[in-house]
Amino acid sequence: MSFFAILLALVLEQARPLKADNVVFSTVNRWILWTVRTLDAGARSQAWITWGVTVIGPALLVMLVHWVLTWGLGWWVAVLWNIALLYATLGFRQFSHHFTGIREALDGGDEDKARELLAQWQQVQVGQIPRSEIVRHVIEYSVIAAHRHVFGVFFWYAALSIFGLGPVGAVIYRLTELAQRRWQEPAADGSWASEVLRSVSLRAWRAMDWLPSRMTALGFAIVGSFEDAMDGWRNHAQSFPDDNDGVILAATAGAINIRLGGAALATSNEDESNEQGDSSSTPGRIASLAHFAQVVGLVWRTVILWLLLLALLTMANLVG
């Protein structure tokens, strides 16, 4: 069931992508803002309760619906429920329009437009960074987005489905990422989540993403230059053992022989910007437009790899 649900959700998302202002995303955003305004009291114990209500509460509801549909209406109705949830949580089209727009601008020689689109996408100040730096940043942001929107969701959905938990893994992963991202930023009225809640949500996100990020890096290594990718991963992990995104970027750099890392753009999150700005560049060639196609190929080959693996596991389960 997991294989067909993921495959159909990916196909559906490619054919009919959700709009940025769709009812699902807007409802989730309102839920995240409501819980922090209602429950956040600035205490560590209260912060974990706030995080649990925000993330685990909807996941339990999703799991309950899954079980009711499975036992009440049949497994095929539960499959439709899984596809619907994966359609909302998993997919390239949630971010790929940014990548496509910047690539087309650079192909047309319009670097000013490419900088403007990059600034709009990441809410950053790009200044007059050169063409190679535009390409580098777009590749870095796109690879991390592909991991968070596709591979991380893929991993947790498949892993928890083995235990009969249906799409709960995909929901927890996406809500954990969304909650920490929203709480690291000021709300529309200028209010902030408490410092302890921001710390708790970031800690939960890093724990939730630790294994998926390394599985993504392994996938990139398998379908790319394995030895170089693993070498980059190992070197980065020695210096930054808790940097999940860095592991993915180091593996990407080795897999396609590109120089990633270095100075970060000026983000609204000063701590994150400083942390990224202190990182060093990986070995490899300077980023160019040709690397866009290589990155797209790397990501899609990894998708096919994990789909084939999941299909084999599904067949083994059916035969067994």
Side-chain angles (χ1 to χ4, degrees):
M1 182 172 69
S2 299
F3 169 75
F4 292 109
I6 290 175
L7 179 62
L8 291 175
L10 283 173
V11 171
L12 181 61
E13 198 264 347
Q14 287 293 311
R16 299 280 296 185
L18 285 171
K19 296 181 179 179
D21 57 349
N22 68 84
V23 65
V24 176
F25 291 172
S26 59
T27 300
V28 169
N29 283 326
R30 285 197 298 269
W31 167 250
I32 291 173
L33 292 175
W34 180 85
T35 56
V36 70
R37 289 171 179 168
T38 306
L39 302 175
D40 183 21
R44 181 162 293 275
S45 59
Q46 193 72 19
W48 280 112
I49 292 174
T50 303
W51 181 87
V53 170
T54 304
V55 175
I56 305 300
L60 291 175
L61 178 61
V62 164
M63 184 173 62
L64 178 62
V65 172
H66 173 76
W67 284 349
V68 168
L69 292 176
T70 301
W71 297 108
L73 298 177
W75 66 268
W76 64 273
V77 181
V79 171
L80 295 178
W81 171 244
N82 285 10
I83 293 172
L85 286 170
L86 285 171
Y87 176 59
T89 58
L90 179 151
F92 290 104
R93 299 294 290 275
Q94 297 178 22
F95 70 91
S96 62
H97 57 285
H98 298 292
F99 176 88
T100 302
I102 297 172
R103 182 178 62 180
E104 290 177 348
L106 290 175
D107 281 338
D110 193 346
E111 295 182 11
D112 289 336
K113 182 178 179 181
R115 294 187 188 97
E116 180 183 351
L117 292 174
L118 177 58
Q120 291 174 358
W121 179 16
Q122 293 297 319
Q123 297 299 302
V124 295
Q125 299 174 2
V126 301
Q128 292 297 315
I129 60 174
R131 184 184 185 90
S132 62
E133 284 296 283
I134 298 174
V135 174
R136 178 176 71 83
H137 284 299
V138 170
I139 289 175
E140 291 175 353
Y141 289 131
S142 298
V143 169
I144 296 302
H147 165 69
R148 296 182 179 183
H149 287 274
V150 181
F151 298 117
V153 178
F154 193 132
F155 172 83
W156 279 114
Y157 171 76
L160 294 192
S161 291
I162 296 175
F163 302 100
L165 297 179
V168 67
V171 173
I172 291 177
Y173 181 83
R174 290 296 290 133
L175 282 177
T176 300
E177 191 273 332
L178 283 170
Q180 68 86 24
R181 179 150 47 92
R182 291 288 182 266
W183 292 341
Q184 303 302 325
E185 304 170 348
D189 59 3
S191 62
W192 287 81
S194 67
E195 182 178 352
V196 66
L197 180 59
R198 297 201 300 270
S199 175
V200 162
S201 65
L202 185 58
R203 181 180 175 183
W205 164 243
R206 286 174 174 171
M208 191 74 184
D209 196 44
W210 190 91
L211 187 54
S213 63
R214 282 145 183 84
M215 293 300 294
T216 297
L218 178 61
F220 288 169
I222 292 173
V223 302
S225 176
F226 184 83
E227 184 176 352
D228 291 335
M230 296 302 293
D231 187 56
W233 176 356
R234 181 171 56 252
N235 291 336
H236 182 84
Q238 290 175 352
S239 302
F240 309 97
D242 298 324
D243 184 9
N244 296 335
D245 289 351
V247 166
I248 298 171
L249 294 178
T252 303
I256 60 175
N257 188 26
I258 183 176
R259 186 181 304 171
L260 298 177
L265 298 177
T267 66
S268 58
N269 187 330
E270 183 177 353
D271 293 337
E272 182 180 351
S273 178
N274 290 338
E275 180 181 346
Q276 292 176 349
D278 291 337
S279 62
S280 58
S281 299
T282 63
R285 294 174 297 170
I286 296 176
S288 65
L289 282 179
H291 283 110
F292 279 156
Q294 289 181 271
V295 168
V296 171
L298 183 76
V299 169
W300 275 109
R301 289 196 302 272
T302 306
V303 170
I304 294 172
L305 171 67
W306 295 133
L307 282 175
L308 288 175
L309 178 60
L310 186 58
L312 291 174
L313 291 175
T314 302
M315 291 178 61
N317 183 57
L318 292 174
V319 172

